[in-house]
Amino acid sequence: MNNSAEILIIDDEVQIRKLLEIALDSNGYKTIFAVNGKEGISLAANHQPDLIILDLGLPDEDGQVVLKRLREWYKKPILILTVKNTEEEIVKALDNGANDYLAKPFRTQELLARIRTALRNLNQDENEPIIEFGAISIDFTSRIVKLKNEILKLTTTEYNLLSILVKNEGRVLTHQYLLKQVWGNSYSDQTQYLRVFVAQLRKKIEEDPNRPKYIITESGVGYRFNTS
């Protein structure tokens, strides 16, 4: 396999770096490593990697601070890989710009799947007018959604919510992020409001709304749109 993407790992644990090197190199990725935040930011600037894997527990600086500094200019995916897996840390990292979050210890195949999704979204033409998944197609130019070639009647709010989820496929979007993007800043704490609209959307696009395939709940955090 030749993925050719370059991945920067910012982690001070020798064993983790070795494990990641073996897993990523064997799947065709190029890897570079940093042992602290300062070195990580420098390597990110000099190499412009396709994806960054960042630990939050770094020896010189809080990983959340490093994440925020990277997000001042780095636009490509950042995946958090850390032992800090409280709901507060997860939400904070996602709000600070992380694309995804995995807790240590992690499953290698799950990590590889998350990386593939992040890179697929990176390489996807942002101007692609039509996206298809399962029996659903979305034409972003005409704002028409079809299910089994039949036009699906969505409200403006439902369409806007679906559009944001689809365009961020594979990425965990927090409740606050979705509420601000779809309804505005004044709705940022109305999580029940969001749940109602997600439930309505699931009834329209999911085969079984009680066992959703596309709109996945990340408990206490937000939602992830999944097409794989």
Side-chain angles (χ1 to χ4, degrees):
M1 184 181 297
N2 182 21
N3 295 303
S4 74
E6 184 173 63
I7 298 176
L8 167 62
I9 292 95
I10 307 175
D11 198 308
D12 64 320
E13 294 182 60
V14 176
Q15 290 180 328
I16 292 294
R17 293 201 305 272
K18 190 64 179 177
L19 175 60
L20 289 173
E21 181 179 22
I22 293 170
L24 296 176
D25 286 0
S26 64
N27 280 271
Y29 297 108
K30 300 174 184 176
T31 51
I32 50 177
F33 299 89
V35 299
N36 56 52
K38 183 179 180 180
E39 184 182 11
I41 292 171
S42 177
L43 285 176
N46 292 328
H47 286 260
Q48 292 292 319
D50 297 292
L51 181 143
I52 294 175
I53 296 176
L54 173 66
D55 182 18
L56 294 182
L58 299 171
D60 62 335
E61 198 163 21
D62 188 326
Q64 297 279 8
V65 174
V66 175
L67 173 60
K68 291 177 72 173
R69 289 181 62 190
L70 284 167
R71 275 299 180 228
E72 291 173 2
W73 54 271
Y74 183 79
K75 305 302 181 184
K76 296 178 182 180
I78 299 177
L79 192 156
I80 303 299
L81 186 64
T82 185
V83 295
K84 296 183 178 182
N85 62 348
T86 64
E87 183 178 311
E88 181 182 1
E89 286 285 352
I90 294 172
V91 172
K92 186 177 180 181
L94 294 170
D95 282 341
N96 283 337
N99 292 72
D100 210 341
Y101 197 108
L102 271 182
K104 298 176 182 175
F106 60 94
R107 292 175 292 185
T108 302
Q109 291 305 313
E110 182 178 5
L111 173 65
L112 291 170
R114 300 285 183 92
I115 289 172
R116 287 193 298 271
T117 296
L119 292 175
R120 182 170 64 249
N121 292 343
L122 174 66
N123 294 328
Q124 180 177 307
D125 182 3
E126 293 183 355
N127 296 316
E128 184 179 7
I130 298 176
I131 289 180
E132 298 180 347
F133 52 94
I136 298 171
S137 69
I138 303 174
D139 188 327
F140 291 109
T141 302
S142 63
R143 294 172 65 91
I144 290 176
V145 180
K146 291 183 178 180
L147 174 63
K148 298 179 180 178
N149 292 320
E150 296 290 331
I151 293 178
L152 196 61
K153 293 183 179 179
L154 299 179
T155 67
T156 299
T157 299
E158 288 170 348
Y159 174 84
N160 291 339
L161 178 58
L162 178 62
S163 177
I164 289 173
L165 287 166
V166 171
K167 289 178 179 179
N168 289 276
E169 192 254 333
R171 178 177 180 177
V172 179
L173 302 179
T174 64
H175 297 127
Q176 289 73 22
Y177 176 84
L178 287 168
L179 286 161
K180 287 178 181 178
Q181 291 297 312
V182 178
W183 288 277
N185 291 335
S186 60
Y187 286 85
S188 62
D189 60 347
Q190 302 295 319
T191 54
Q192 184 57 36
Y193 199 66
L194 176 59
R195 290 191 186 99
V196 169
F197 275 88
V198 167
Q200 290 177 188
L201 201 50
R202 280 174 171 161
K203 288 179 182 178
K204 294 184 177 183
I205 71 168
E206 300 279 5
E207 290 184 15
D208 182 354
N210 295 318
R211 300 180 63 184
K213 175 182 177 182
Y214 299 121
I215 305 176
I216 309 302
T217 299
E218 296 288 343
S219 183
V221 178
Y223 298 94
R224 179 201 304 273
F225 197 85
N226 177 52
T227 61
S228 57

